[in-house]
């Protein structure tokens, strides 16, 4: 887009070109299994890391797009059910943030959810009609900070969610 903006000194900038990619908003959910004192993350193939020659099988928190008109919390609940097969016993909104505000319109609303064995309904694994192939990865809470530091190319929403939970529980 060609645009102008008001500078800090009150003057108008010259016309500039800015590029932006429009993408629907998404939801991310840090799932904590209270009985096992562990996080349930998901591992799945992601195409963009291949541009850097990175292993495209990324380990992340549960996440997905919010359908038009869908309540954000309902989207988070739905994604937890689809991806890991547990019904959250409670969910809490953490924050909303832009993924890359210099180029993308996408925002992620981050949630924290608790599950236990009594809330397990399926084996999870994602939806076949969305071509999802998801493996559950269990990270003991006491090993989460070490796990983060071992990530050569980590996922920002996952790191943010784990750091949030770590500082909250200390």
């Amino acid at each position: 887009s060609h645009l102008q903006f008001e500078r800090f000194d009150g003057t108008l900038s010259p016309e500039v070109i800015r590029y932006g990619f429009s993408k629907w908003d998404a939801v991310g959910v840090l799932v904590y299994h209270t009985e096992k004192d562990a996080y349930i993350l998901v591992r799945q193939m992601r195409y963009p890391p291949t541009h850097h020659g990175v292993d495209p099988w990324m380990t992340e928190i549960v996440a997905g797009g919010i359908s038009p008109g869908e309540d954000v919390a309902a989207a988070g609940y739905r994604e937890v059910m689809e991806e890991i097969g547990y019904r959250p016993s409670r969910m809490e909104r953490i924050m909303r943030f832009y993924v890359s505000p210099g180029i993308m319109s996408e925002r992620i609303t981050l949630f924290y959810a608790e599950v236990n064995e009594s809330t397990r309904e399926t084996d999870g694994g994602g939806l076949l009609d969305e071509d999802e192939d998801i493996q559950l990865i269990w990270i003991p809470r006491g090993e989460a900070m070490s796990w983060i530091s071992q990530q050569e190319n980590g996922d920002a929403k996952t790191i943010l969610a784990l750091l949030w939970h770590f500082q909250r529980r200390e």
Side-chain angles (χ1 to χ4, degrees):
S1 292
H2 294 266
L3 59 96
Q4 291 182 290
F5 59 92
E6 184 178 340
R7 296 188 224 187
F8 291 115
D9 67 6
T11 63
L12 200 57
S13 74
E15 189 174 271
V16 296
I17 298 174
R18 294 290 185 263
Y19 297 96
F21 296 96
S22 291
K23 187 175 182 304
W24 61 89
D25 285 349
V27 62
V29 186
L30 174 64
V31 179
Y32 176 68
H33 194 292
T34 58
E35 294 164 337
K36 295 185 179 180
D37 192 24
Y39 304 104
I40 309 174
L41 303 183
V42 294
R43 187 168 188 252
Q44 58 189 319
M45 191 278 206
R46 298 297 200 185
Y47 174 66
T50 63
H51 296 299
H52 300 107
V54 172
D55 179 2
W57 290 89
M58 301 289 292
T59 300
E60 312 167 45
I61 60 173
V62 167
I66 302 168
S67 300
E70 185 177 25
D71 176 78
V72 178
Y77 188 95
R78 174 183 53 74
E79 288 292 341
V80 172
M81 292 286 295
E82 291 172 2
E83 293 190 1
I84 67 164
Y86 284 82
R87 178 177 30 83
S89 58
R90 83 177 193 93
M91 279 183 58
E92 173 185 345
R93 185 182 186 275
I94 300 173
M95 67 184 72
R96 177 180 287 155
F97 57 91
Y98 282 95
V99 175
S100 184
I103 195 76
M104 291 182 65
S105 65
E106 181 185 23
R107 298 174 302 175
I108 292 180
T109 303
L110 202 55
F111 286 90
Y112 165 76
E114 291 181 350
V115 300
N116 57 59
E117 282 310 296
S118 70
T119 67
R120 185 176 187 155
E121 297 198 356
T122 71
D123 291 336
L127 297 181
L128 292 177
D129 63 355
E130 292 184 8
D131 296 315
E132 291 180 319
D133 185 24
I134 293 173
Q135 178 185 32
L136 303 190
I137 303 293
W138 293 76
I139 307 290
R141 184 175 57 87
E143 296 174 19
M145 292 305 103
S146 173
W147 180 84
I148 288 173
S149 68
Q150 293 169 12
Q151 302 302 299
E152 185 175 337
N153 292 282
D155 170 66
K157 68 184 175 300
T158 301
I159 295 168
L160 181 62
L162 288 169
L163 291 175
W164 171 86
H165 197 234
F166 179 78
Q167 65 85 27
R168 183 172 183 239
R169 293 190 57 127
E170 291 306 306

